[in-house]
Short mmCIF file of all heavy atoms in Angstrom, two decimals:
data_model
loop_
_atom_site.label_atom_id
_atom_site.label_comp_id
_atom_site.label_asym_id
_atom_site.label_seq_id
_atom_site.Cartn_x
_atom_site.Cartn_y
_atom_site.Cartn_z
N PRO A 1009 -21.72 52.25 -2.03
CA PRO A 1009 -22.47 52.99 -0.98
C PRO A 1009 -22.98 54.29 -1.56
O PRO A 1009 -24.16 54.66 -1.24
CB PRO A 1009 -21.56 53.06 0.21
CG PRO A 1009 -20.58 51.87 0.08
CD PRO A 1009 -20.42 51.84 -1.44
N SER A 1010 -22.29 55.02 -2.28
CA SER A 1010 -22.60 56.32 -2.72
C SER A 1010 -23.80 56.18 -3.73
O SER A 1010 -24.68 56.91 -3.63
CB SER A 1010 -21.39 56.91 -3.33
OG SER A 1010 -21.82 58.28 -3.84
N GLU A 1011 -23.66 55.15 -4.63
CA GLU A 1011 -24.74 54.95 -5.49
C GLU A 1011 -25.95 54.43 -4.83
O GLU A 1011 -27.23 54.83 -5.20
CB GLU A 1011 -24.47 53.89 -6.49
CG GLU A 1011 -23.13 54.35 -7.45
CD GLU A 1011 -22.65 53.29 -8.35
OE1 GLU A 1011 -23.10 52.03 -8.18
OE2 GLU A 1011 -21.86 53.47 -9.13
N ALA A 1012 -25.92 53.71 -3.75
CA ALA A 1012 -27.11 53.33 -2.94
C ALA A 1012 -27.77 54.46 -2.35
O ALA A 1012 -28.93 54.59 -2.30
CB ALA A 1012 -26.65 52.26 -1.99
N LEU A 1013 -26.99 55.41 -1.77
CA LEU A 1013 -27.61 56.61 -1.24
C LEU A 1013 -28.22 57.53 -2.23
O LEU A 1013 -29.30 58.10 -2.07
CB LEU A 1013 -26.47 57.46 -0.44
CG LEU A 1013 -26.16 56.84 0.86
CD1 LEU A 1013 -24.89 57.75 1.49
CD2 LEU A 1013 -27.20 56.74 1.87
N ALA A 1014 -27.58 57.51 -3.38
CA ALA A 1014 -28.22 58.32 -4.49
C ALA A 1014 -29.46 57.79 -4.97
O ALA A 1014 -30.43 58.53 -5.26
CB ALA A 1014 -27.28 58.49 -5.67
N SER A 1015 -29.65 56.50 -4.86
CA SER A 1015 -30.78 55.91 -5.32
C SER A 1015 -32.02 56.05 -4.39
O SER A 1015 -33.14 55.93 -4.80
CB SER A 1015 -30.66 54.21 -5.46
OG SER A 1015 -30.39 53.72 -4.24
N ILE A 1016 -31.80 56.50 -3.25
CA ILE A 1016 -32.81 56.73 -2.26
C ILE A 1016 -33.06 58.19 -2.15
O ILE A 1016 -33.73 58.56 -1.11
CB ILE A 1016 -32.58 56.03 -0.81
CG1 ILE A 1016 -31.33 56.59 -0.24
CG2 ILE A 1016 -32.55 54.55 -1.09
CD1 ILE A 1016 -31.05 55.94 1.19
N GLY A 1017 -32.26 58.98 -2.88
CA GLY A 1017 -32.63 60.30 -2.86
C GLY A 1017 -31.63 61.20 -2.10
O GLY A 1017 -31.98 62.38 -1.87
N ALA A 1018 -30.47 60.71 -1.67
CA ALA A 1018 -29.63 61.49 -0.86
C ALA A 1018 -29.01 62.56 -1.83
O ALA A 1018 -28.57 62.31 -2.93
CB ALA A 1018 -28.51 60.58 -0.31
N ASN A 1019 -28.66 63.72 -1.39
CA ASN A 1019 -28.04 64.77 -2.09
C ASN A 1019 -26.46 64.56 -2.18
O ASN A 1019 -25.93 63.91 -1.30
CB ASN A 1019 -28.49 66.16 -1.65
CG ASN A 1019 -28.11 66.48 -0.16
OD1 ASN A 1019 -26.94 66.08 0.13
ND2 ASN A 1019 -29.04 66.90 0.54
N PRO A 1020 -25.75 65.26 -3.05
CA PRO A 1020 -24.41 65.03 -3.14
C PRO A 1020 -23.62 65.35 -1.83
O PRO A 1020 -22.61 64.69 -1.52
CB PRO A 1020 -24.05 65.99 -4.25
CG PRO A 1020 -25.11 66.23 -5.11
CD PRO A 1020 -26.29 66.11 -4.14
N ILE A 1021 -24.13 66.43 -1.06
CA ILE A 1021 -23.45 66.68 0.17
C ILE A 1021 -23.50 65.64 1.23
O ILE A 1021 -22.45 65.30 1.98
CB ILE A 1021 -23.92 68.07 0.69
CG1 ILE A 1021 -23.69 69.21 -0.15
CG2 ILE A 1021 -23.38 68.28 2.11
CD1 ILE A 1021 -24.30 70.62 0.29
N ASP A 1022 -24.72 64.95 1.26
CA ASP A 1022 -24.88 63.84 2.20
C ASP A 1022 -23.89 62.71 1.80
O ASP A 1022 -23.27 61.96 2.56
CB ASP A 1022 -26.31 63.33 2.22
CG ASP A 1022 -27.20 64.39 2.76
OD1 ASP A 1022 -26.74 65.23 3.57
OD2 ASP A 1022 -28.42 64.40 2.37
N ARG A 1023 -23.84 62.43 0.44
CA ARG A 1023 -22.92 61.32 0.00
C ARG A 1023 -21.52 61.61 0.33
O ARG A 1023 -20.68 60.74 0.69
CB ARG A 1023 -23.21 61.09 -1.45
CG ARG A 1023 -24.47 60.41 -1.78
CD ARG A 1023 -24.65 60.01 -3.22
NE ARG A 1023 -25.11 61.18 -4.01
CZ ARG A 1023 -24.39 61.70 -5.08
NH1 ARG A 1023 -23.39 61.19 -5.51
NH2 ARG A 1023 -25.00 62.72 -5.75
N ILE A 1024 -21.12 62.84 0.26
CA ILE A 1024 -19.74 63.28 0.36
C ILE A 1024 -19.39 63.05 1.95
O ILE A 1024 -18.34 62.60 2.42
CB ILE A 1024 -19.40 64.70 0.00
CG1 ILE A 1024 -19.43 64.72 -1.51
CG2 ILE A 1024 -18.16 65.15 0.62
CD1 ILE A 1024 -19.47 66.22 -2.10
N ALA A 1025 -20.39 63.42 2.89
CA ALA A 1025 -20.19 63.54 4.17
C ALA A 1025 -20.31 62.14 4.89
O ALA A 1025 -19.49 61.83 5.88
CB ALA A 1025 -21.18 64.48 4.90
#
Side-chain angles (χ1 to χ4, degrees):
S1010 181
E1011 294 173 354
L1013 287 177
S1015 65
I1016 61 175
N1019 58 50
I1021 296 179
D1022 292 336
R1023 287 185 278 125
I1024 292 171

